[in-house]
Amino acid sequence: MTVPITLDDLPIRDDLRGRSPYGAPQLDVAVRLNTNENSFPVPERVVEAIATAVGAQLRQLNRYPDRDAVALRIDLAGYLGHDLTAAGVWAANGSNEVQQQLLQVFAGPGRVALGFTPAYSMHPLLALGTGTRWIDGRRGPDFALTATDAAAQVAADQPDLVFLCSPNNPTGTALDPAVITAVLDAAPGIVVVDEAYAEFARAGTPSALTLLSAHPRLVVTRTMSKAFGFAGGRLGYLAAHPAVVDAVQLVRLPYHLSALTQAAARAALAHRDALLGSVRVIMEQRDRIVADLRRLGLTVADSDANFVLFAVGGDQRRVWRALLERGVLVRDVGLTGWLRVTAGTPEETDAFLAAMTELAALTEPAR
């Protein structure tokens, strides 16, 4: 008979006690707009290409995969451009693993990481998991981050690693490159720009990739989960100076990226035009959500991502539950009075906006 114990009975680390795992609710509802997935399924011809590529690896599963994923890194460098080569690109199982590896090698016990909240909530959890002390940086009342303020905070705290998000999650706003440059000038260590949603940025929004050649301590992380609709494939990557890639390999697990993942990701990259074809439609739905919510009198953050942060006033949990009762699942990101909705298909947008119009009486524009 199994001895009845609970998590509290186990000798886990003291700094993990009382904490909950990261994760959004996984509920079976008609319209799921809470995890910023690409709502469009993988096109059939891409499915066939991925199946063929993965199938070719099956008879060799008795052998370890390419430990360094060189062919995949060559393909990723070709996709990113900016004169990158495989030496300046690294891939792992989602950008979360990439960022964890960066913390393992450049932060860890006795070191400090800083991020400007609200931002991606996994960053402090990754810091916790690697024994890194976390500092919450401040944003302005409108979630803005200026070059002067960001640099002053970095200069004061002297973190070993700084996280920036552009576009930022959950606000959706992209950073002015001047902010990134100011932080690089003030930071003593590594600066990581999380560009998970870069493909959705509005026209003219520059990527931090443009700064790489002049800043060897800059790292740009990306993912195939969002724009590529490859969330189930779990493929994230970084672009940086080759020396940074060498450093990350000091802590990567051996053969961390399976042969099947590498093959599937390469096939997806080879058909990127088909996969990225949904990006324009998603951006149109995002802009439609922003415009229609503002017509309802709500305060809405400008977005360069595939989601929208909007104010509902008062208790956001009440509106979250009311939307769920109408078959629409959005995200409560823990910001009082605010909710986040993913931009999905036109039909999903119809359902969300219809529900919000019906609930307009329950919401109060933020003051």
Side-chain angles (χ1 to χ4, degrees), residues 281-301:
V281 180
I282 292 169
M283 292 171 66
E284 290 172 352
Q285 298 312 304
R286 173 199 66 200
D287 295 341
R288 178 186 167 201
I289 290 170
V290 171
D292 282 18
L293 290 182
R294 285 175 176 167
R295 276 194 285 271
L296 289 175
L298 302 181
T299 297
V300 184

Side-chain angles (χ1 to χ4, degrees), residues 76-160:
L76 288 167
Y79 167 64
L80 291 176
H82 297 277
D83 296 322
L84 284 163
T85 67
V89 176
W90 181 247
N93 295 283
S95 57
N96 288 335
E97 184 179 28
V98 170
Q99 292 159 4
Q100 177 176 273
Q101 291 170 340
L102 290 167
L103 284 162
Q104 286 176 309
V105 73
F106 295 113
R111 294 194 173 194
V112 175
L114 180 148
F116 297 92
T117 53
Y120 183 35
S121 57
M122 266 305 295
H123 291 159
L125 292 177
L126 291 170
L128 174 68
T130 57
T132 305
R133 184 165 70 88
W134 177 262
I135 296 177
D136 268 330
R138 303 179 307 277
R139 289 178 178 268
D142 58 352
F143 306 124
L145 187 61
T146 67
T148 300
D149 192 30
Q153 293 182 63
V154 170
D157 291 312
Q158 292 289 287
D160 298 281

